[in-house]
């Protein structure tokens, strides 16, 4: 039974959807941080005296900002260093590794008309996208964990503040 390149393309399409999903989750976490940080920063003149009067709120504030910072860091995960041979399906290689557009088109046609080369290039593309997705989902999980921790501190800060107000 011969390989079917459609299987490779379908796998790449599925991987692209997973990448978009991880980016959507990262965007949601970052947006929630912005929703919490925005009012706090905009009203810092209001909150400053409240924090100056309470050592507990200062400690909780520091404990809150640490997981926020770590969570935001994981939203913008570190770069990955991956070493692969030149590949006609890698976007950076398509632009830089094969000369001008005519030379690239010629190389692409050469790869696509040779089954062994086609499957090798597609297999490398699937592998690299899988690595990227693995790293992205790991980062999303870490970011979400630290977001949950920061949310816990946000709730504690609000509770302590409400207690201080006499509610």
């Amino acid at each position: 039974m011969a390989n079917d390149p459609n299987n490779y393309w379908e796998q790449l399409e599925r991987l692209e959807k997973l990448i978009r999903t991880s980016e959507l989750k990262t965007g949601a976490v970052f947006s929630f941080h912005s929703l919490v940080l925005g009012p706090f920063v905009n009203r810092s003149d209001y909150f400053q005296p409240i924090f100056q009067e309470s050592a507990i709120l200062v400690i909780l504030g520091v404990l809150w900002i640490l997981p926020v910072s770590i969570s935001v860091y994981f939203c913008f995960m570190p770069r990955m260093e991956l070493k692969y041979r030149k590949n006609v399906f890698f976007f950076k290689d398509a632009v830089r590794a094969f000369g001008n557009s005519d030379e690239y088109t010629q190389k692409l046609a050469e790869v696509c008309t040779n089954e062994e080369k086609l499957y090798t290039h597609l297999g490398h593309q699937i592998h690299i996208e899988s690595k990227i997705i693995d790293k992205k989902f790991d980062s999303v999980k870490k970011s979400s964990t630290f977001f949950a921790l920061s949310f816990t501190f946000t709730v504690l800060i609000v509770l302590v503040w409400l207690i201080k107000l006499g509610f």
Side-chain angles (χ1 to χ4, degrees), residues 18 57 88 108 114 137 143 151 153:
L18 287 171
L57 285 175
V88 295
L108 179 63
N114 180 313
F137 273 100
S143 181
F151 184 76
F153 285 115

Side-chain angles (χ1 to χ4, degrees), residues 34-50:
S34 297
L35 286 172
V36 173
L37 283 171
F40 183 76
V41 170
N42 288 338
R43 301 287 316 249
S44 61
D45 57 330
Y46 175 77
F47 291 110
Q48 186 177 1
I50 295 169

